[in-house]
Amino acid sequence: MLHRDCALTRRPTTPKRRSALPRTRSGPRGVPAIPLALSALLVLFLVLPVLALLLRGLNAQFFPTLLGPVVLDALRISLLTTACTMVLTVLLGTPVAWLLARYDFPGKTALDTLLDLPIVLPPVVAGVGLLLAFGRNGLLGAPLELAGISVAFSFAAVVMAQLFVAAPFYLRTAKAGFMAVDRDVEDAARTDGADRWTVFRYITWPLASAFLLEGLVLTWARALGEFGATILFAGSLQGKTRTITLAIYSALESDLAPALVLSAVMVLLAFTVLAVVRRLGSAHNAR
């Protein structure tokens, strides 16, 4: 009777319902096949041109071509101009980023937007703007001519074009770095008698250094690859204003070998820059 009562009181089990969702085919280790195939297509599309550049550029004639006058002049101009751009970016951009991160004032949002504008502005438009501002017939062209200064189509024009398009990357990153610094630590140092410069030098700058270095690397990479603003504002004069990107464009019309070598160099430099940025980001997150 006891077993019979237990059987009567036991609830009937309902059969398990099969999921109405269709099963997707899986690739290796259970990865869905369709996303895997689409991902493979995009990866191949992005990687194949880079591999083609390296395979064609890193050939037996790589070092002889690299030591040629056309390539060496382009490398020299690019390294010198980007070095000047980085120095000016740090000297002029760091105070701007610090003020934007620390103070509120009327028009701050509009100013912040204007400083970010070169990031999304087409480089050709940036070159036209630089010509209209600093060219011979520009807004400041006449005063500069009276002072005996000719900016357009000069070494300085290359630096100015790079600074215009690349400095905003440093400003954004540096501002984020200064905003990430704990204000209580700075206030404690001031309470102990440290002045503003001492607090910035020994507390704010070291704590934000990872952001600043990352922004500087991005700025250098953007300045190194600048083309549109440079060719309009500085021209393409070998040994004077012709950077790596301009030398690649010029070589495509005559001799392909320097273009391939310089393209391979740019790929290696870009990969190194991305690796450094990722390393800095990982080190910062590890803290």
Side-chain angles (χ1 to χ4, degrees):
M1 292 293 293
L2 180 59
H3 292 289
R4 183 179 180 182
D5 294 339
C6 292
L8 292 174
T9 57
R10 186 180 300 168
R11 293 181 180 180
T13 58
T14 57
K16 295 182 179 180
R17 296 181 179 179
R18 294 184 177 180
S19 176
L21 297 175
R23 293 184 178 180
T24 58
R25 296 182 179 179
S26 298
R29 297 185 180 180
V31 180
I34 294 178
L36 182 63
L38 295 176
S39 301
L41 287 176
L42 181 60
V43 170
L44 287 174
F45 175 75
L46 296 177
V47 171
L48 281 178
V50 177
L51 291 178
L53 286 174
L54 292 177
L55 290 175
R56 292 291 302 275
L58 300 178
N59 52 33
Q61 299 299 320
F62 177 79
F63 287 105
T65 307
L66 185 64
L67 298 177
V70 175
V71 177
L72 287 180
D73 283 342
L75 289 173
R76 177 177 59 84
I77 295 298
S78 293
L79 292 178
L80 289 176
T81 53
T82 53
C84 295
T85 299
M86 286 193 294
V87 172
L88 291 175
T89 299
V90 173
L91 291 178
L92 303 177
T94 303
V96 177
W98 183 76
L99 290 174
L100 290 174
R102 285 290 182 265
Y103 295 96
D104 292 324
F105 49 86
K108 176 182 176 180
T109 303
L111 177 62
D112 205 4
T113 304
L114 287 174
L115 293 176
D116 286 342
L117 190 60
I119 295 178
V120 297
L121 199 65
V124 175
V125 177
V128 173
L130 289 170
L131 273 176
L132 295 177
F134 302 101
R136 180 172 299 179
N137 298 321
L139 295 176
L140 299 179
L144 290 174
E145 288 291 334
L146 291 176
I149 301 174
S150 180
V151 177
F153 305 101
S154 65
F155 182 91
V158 180
V159 176
M160 293 171 66
Q162 294 175 354
L163 184 66
F164 184 84
V165 301
F169 290 91
Y170 178 81
L171 287 175
R172 288 177 61 86
T173 312
K175 185 180 69 173
F178 291 140
M179 293 179 66
V181 176
D182 191 354
R183 300 290 293 273
D184 293 336
V185 178
E186 296 177 334
D187 294 338
R190 293 191 187 95
T191 303
D192 292 337
D195 57 17
R196 183 173 296 174
W197 168 247
T198 303
V199 172
F200 180 82
R201 181 180 178 183
Y202 293 102
I203 295 178
T204 308
W205 180 275
L207 291 178
S209 59
F211 289 89
L212 302 179
L213 187 57
E214 181 179 347
L216 195 59
V217 171
L218 292 174
T219 299
W220 179 79
R222 180 64 185 88
L224 186 66
E226 162 53 30
F227 177 82
T230 305
I231 197 170
L232 282 179
F233 186 49
S236 180
L237 306 175
Q238 183 177 346
K240 186 176 181 182
T241 64
R242 183 174 295 175
T243 59
I244 292 178
T245 53
L246 298 180
I248 293 174
Y249 182 78
S250 300
L252 288 174
E253 300 177 352
S254 56
D255 187 5
L256 190 60
L260 294 176
V261 170
L262 287 172
S263 298
V265 171
M266 289 291 288
V267 170
L268 296 176
L269 289 175
F271 183 84
T272 303
V273 167
L274 289 176
V276 171
V277 171
R278 291 181 183 274
R279 182 65 178 176
L280 292 174
S282 301
H284 177 72
N285 293 331
R287 294 180 183 178

